[in-house]
Amino acid sequence: GRQMGEYFKRLGHRKVLCVSDNDECMDHLRFEGFHDVLPEAELFIVPMQKEERQEYYKKKADYIRSFTAVFAVSDCYAVEILHFLAAEGLSVPEQISVGGFDDSMLSRQTHPLLTTICQDHQKRAVLAIELLQKLRRKEDTELCYVLPVKLLERESTATKSTKSGPY
């Protein structure tokens, strides 16, 4: 979250939204890092069920439009936001920037291509299996791991427009 916050800040974005379906565990940490860099950032908690989320986006369309950039804690939600914004007639990244997290296959199949945070999925899986094996053997082990991540700048983000006020 911190990397995306620093990136959005560098692009001139201050009125930013963070989309998640909860404020716990890794989602909370992603928002916390984002918010540390951009204290004006707001957390936008959406329903977990896809159909309910789609309705929620429609209901909150004016609210979403008031931001210059959106960071979704997962690529899945970022892609949903891209589709929603397109349906609302908003141009990404010209009117609003969108970033995700995970560098999933989805992020490379969108138009525009999604700016995202990349993590080593293979290393994550290996660590998870090792942790499960240690827990199964009742060995003492660290339960929290922080893996390195990096920002992948693609087409869904741009410098904040010089227009005054929300789009």
Side-chain angles (χ1 to χ4, degrees):
R2 177 174 299 281
Q3 285 186 38
M4 191 64 75
E6 289 169 351
Y7 177 65
F8 278 165
K9 187 173 186 175
R10 195 168 60 251
L11 292 177
H13 296 283
R14 297 299 181 273
K15 186 137 175 69
V16 294
L17 190 64
C18 181
V19 176
S20 177
D21 60 25
N22 69 79
D23 188 19
E24 299 174 19
C25 301
M26 66 185 171
D27 289 359
H28 172 78
L29 294 173
R30 290 174 187 175
F31 175 68
E32 190 176 71
F34 189 65
H35 188 262
D36 284 349
V37 176
L38 292 166
E40 307 90 347
E42 294 183 33
L43 181 61
F44 185 60
I45 297 182
V46 297
M48 289 183 128
Q49 299 299 324
K50 185 174 183 174
E51 296 79 23
E52 292 174 28
R53 242 185 350 268
Q54 297 301 321
E55 288 303 312
Y56 192 70
Y57 292 146
K58 289 177 189 173
K59 181 179 172 186
K60 298 290 188 174
D62 288 338
Y63 175 72
I64 296 167
R65 285 176 181 268
S66 73
F67 293 87
T68 65
V70 176
F71 167 51
V73 298
S74 73
D75 286 350
C76 180
Y77 286 170
V79 170
E80 279 186 1
I81 291 289
L82 285 174
H83 291 181
F84 168 76
L85 294 170
E88 290 290 309
L90 288 172
S91 179
V92 174
E94 293 80 11
Q95 291 179 288
I96 189 167
S97 288
V98 177
F101 197 107
D102 288 326
D103 190 31
S104 69
M105 287 296 291
L106 280 174
S107 71
R108 290 168 253 142
Q109 297 174 342
T110 62
H111 180 74
L113 293 175
L114 183 64
T115 294
T116 188
I117 301 292
C118 177
Q119 58 183 326
D120 187 336
H121 298 288
Q122 185 173 3
K123 185 170 186 168
R124 184 177 168 186
V126 167
L127 280 173
I129 291 168
E130 288 174 2
L131 177 61
L132 286 171
Q133 290 171 338
K134 287 179 182 181
L135 289 171
R136 188 173 181 208
R137 292 188 302 263
K138 299 184 190 249
E139 293 176 22
D140 285 337
T141 185
E142 181 68 37
L143 294 177
C144 182
Y145 294 92
V146 177
L147 297 176
V149 295
K150 68 178 180 179
L151 176 78
L152 296 177
E153 182 180 348
R154 295 191 180 125
E155 301 166 354
S156 66
T157 51
T159 303
K160 181 184 171 290
S161 169
T162 56
K163 294 181 192 177
S164 61
Y167 298 108

